[in-house]
């Protein structure tokens, strides 16, 4: 009895190791279909991964500033990204002032990182964002001691971040109001919300951007006309608000009537009922749909290039026009795509965190 215990304890790691290997083998080769798919996927990796690694890393030009090195290379020209990083990230912003958009990017990313912490979800957070954007627009536009830079010279990552954060930040509360208005018992309020939401959702974003950029100057005097950047921001905000309103309306419809009756029995007025009882539950229900809509809006900011704003893609196209370099378009758009992927993936993980946290909070 005393001798069997050490043998059992020594055999335990091997037992679990072999059990894990058996489960993996069963998962990969347990049925003829699984085995065929595993072999097919392995063959696909064998065919595609080695040449991809050669192009991406082994035969690539990494930091050589000589454009001729890229012309002679058979791999990727990452030195173009290295040499043109300032133009890719900040567009046509004046070279000597690029420290300003760099600070803006760091500030926005830092605030986003701070805002995902549940401990920061207080009334002070809104005031912090308002103060931060006052600082951001001062840094980007200048004045009060800084050289003035018009919005037509803004570009790259700061434009993408500002458009994304401001449009979504304003569109979310507007979308909540539109969703509540569409469910209102007042006919005028309900019809107005329906007309606005369905009109915006029935139009492509490109047409709304064209209206804001081309048609609006025909109807407003020059003194009242905002610049192109503000018009694009308004168009993106209206478009996002209409889609978010429908997502939130779906969450409102999922709340049972008993929740409204319970709030009424406690004597809660309409707005307190919505703020304390209904909206927290409705938004929790539609977190996946909200995340999907917001991620689409992050990528939709790239459409502002059609009205002449220099977002990340416009900055990349401008950098590729340099005749001294061999125009490595694949590398440039991989770099831009990696930035959009990082933004979208980060928000998707935040949405997953909220969804996991929801039942515990509830």
């Amino acid at each position: 009895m005393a001798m069997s215990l050490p043998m059992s304890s020594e055999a335990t790691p091997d037992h679990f190791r072999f059990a894990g290997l058996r489960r993996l083998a069963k998962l990969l080769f347990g049925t003829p279909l699984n085995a065929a798919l595993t072999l097919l996927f392995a063959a696909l990796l064998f065919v595609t991964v080695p040449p991809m690694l050669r192009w991406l890393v082994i035969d690539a030009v990494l930091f050589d500033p000589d454009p001729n090195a890229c012309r002679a290379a058979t791999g990727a020209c990452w030195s173009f990204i290295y040499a043109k990083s300032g133009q890719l990230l900040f567009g046509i912003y004046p070279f000597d002032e690029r420290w300003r958009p760099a600070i803006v990017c760091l500030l926005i990313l830092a605030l986003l990182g701070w805002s995902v912490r549940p401990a920061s979800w207080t009334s002070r957070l809104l005031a912090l964002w308002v103060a931060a954007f006052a600082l951001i627009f001062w840094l980007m536009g200048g004045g009060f001691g800084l050289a003035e830079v018009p919005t037509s010279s803004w570009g790259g990552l700061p434009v993408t971040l500002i458009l994304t954060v401001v449009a979504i930040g304003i569109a979310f509360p507007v979308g909540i109001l539109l969703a509540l208005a569409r469910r209102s018992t007042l006919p005028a309020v309900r019809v107005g919300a329906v007309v606005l939401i369905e009109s915006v959702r029935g139009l492509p974003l490109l047409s709304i951007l064209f209206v804001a950029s081309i048609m609006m100057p025909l109807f407003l005097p020059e003194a009242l006309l905002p610049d192109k950047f503000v018009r694009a921001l308004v168009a993106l905000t209206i478009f996002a608000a209409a889609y978010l309103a429908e997502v939130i309306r779906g969450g409102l419809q999922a709340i049972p009537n008993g929740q409204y009756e319970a709030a009424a029995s406690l004597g809660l007025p309409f707005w307190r009922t919505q703020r304390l009882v209904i909206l927290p539950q409705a938004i929790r229900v539609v977190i996946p749909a909200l995340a999907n809509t917001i991620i689409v809006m992050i990528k939709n900011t790239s459409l502002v290039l059609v009205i002449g704003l220099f977002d990340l893609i416009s900055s990349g196209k401008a950098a590729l026009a340099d005749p001294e370099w061999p125009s490595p378009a694949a590398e440039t758009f991989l770099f831009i795509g990696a930035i959009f992927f990082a933004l979208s993936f980060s928000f998707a993980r935040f949405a997953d965190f909220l969804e996991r946290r929801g039942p515990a909070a509830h």
Side-chain angles (χ1 to χ4, degrees), residues 52-221:
M52 188 181 299
L53 285 177
R54 283 197 299 270
W55 185 81
L56 287 172
V57 181
I58 299 173
D59 297 333
V61 180
L62 298 178
F63 302 108
D64 193 337
D66 185 8
N68 293 322
C70 284
R71 292 189 176 92
T74 58
C77 179
W78 299 119
S79 60
F80 175 82
I81 306 299
Y82 176 73
K84 295 287 186 179
S85 59
Q87 185 175 359
L88 290 171
L89 291 175
F90 308 127
I92 58 175
Y93 205 89
F95 181 81
D96 294 336
E97 302 291 333
R98 283 181 179 171
W99 60 271
R100 291 154 56 178
I103 292 177
V104 166
C105 292
L106 293 176
L107 180 59
I108 293 176
L109 294 175
L111 280 173
L112 288 173
W114 175 266
S115 300
V116 300
R117 299 169 57 254
S120 67
W121 297 346
T122 64
S123 58
R124 297 179 181 177
L125 185 61
L126 177 60
L128 179 63
W129 272 104
V130 172
F133 265 95
L135 177 61
I136 285 167
F137 280 103
W138 171 64
L139 284 171
M140 291 295 294
F144 301 102
L146 293 177
E148 293 189 5
V149 179
T151 56
S152 58
S153 296
W154 297 9
L157 184 58
V159 168
T160 297
L161 291 176
I162 291 172
L163 289 175
T164 299
V165 173
V166 176
I168 294 174
I170 298 176
F172 187 72
V174 173
I176 291 175
L177 293 177
L178 286 174
L180 293 174
R182 184 158 186 172
R183 289 172 52 83
S184 173
T185 56
L186 301 175
V189 173
R190 184 175 64 254
V191 172
V194 170
V195 170
L196 176 60
I197 292 172
E198 296 303 329
S199 298
V200 174
R201 292 175 70 235
L203 296 172
L205 178 56
L206 279 176
S207 66
I208 298 176
L209 287 171
F210 274 121
V211 168
S213 177
I214 299 172
M215 299 297 293
M216 192 178 292
L218 301 178
F219 300 101
L220 289 178

Side-chain angles (χ1 to χ4, degrees), residues 1-87:
M1 187 71 166
M3 294 179 61
S4 63
L5 289 175
M7 292 177 61
S8 175
S9 61
E10 292 176 0
T12 299
D14 290 338
H15 172 75
F16 283 111
R17 188 180 303 114
F18 286 120
L21 291 175
R22 284 195 297 269
R23 285 195 296 269
L24 180 61
K26 185 176 180 181
L27 178 65
L28 297 178
F29 302 98
T31 65
L33 178 60
N34 284 356
L37 291 175
T38 300
L39 294 175
L40 179 63
F41 186 68
L44 182 64
L45 290 178
F46 180 78
V47 172
T48 58
V49 170
M52 188 181 299
L53 285 177
R54 283 197 299 270
W55 185 81
L56 287 172
V57 181
I58 299 173
D59 297 333
V61 180
L62 298 178
F63 302 108
D64 193 337
D66 185 8
N68 293 322
C70 284
R71 292 189 176 92
T74 58
C77 179
W78 299 119
S79 60
F80 175 82
I81 306 299
Y82 176 73
K84 295 287 186 179
S85 59
Q87 185 175 359

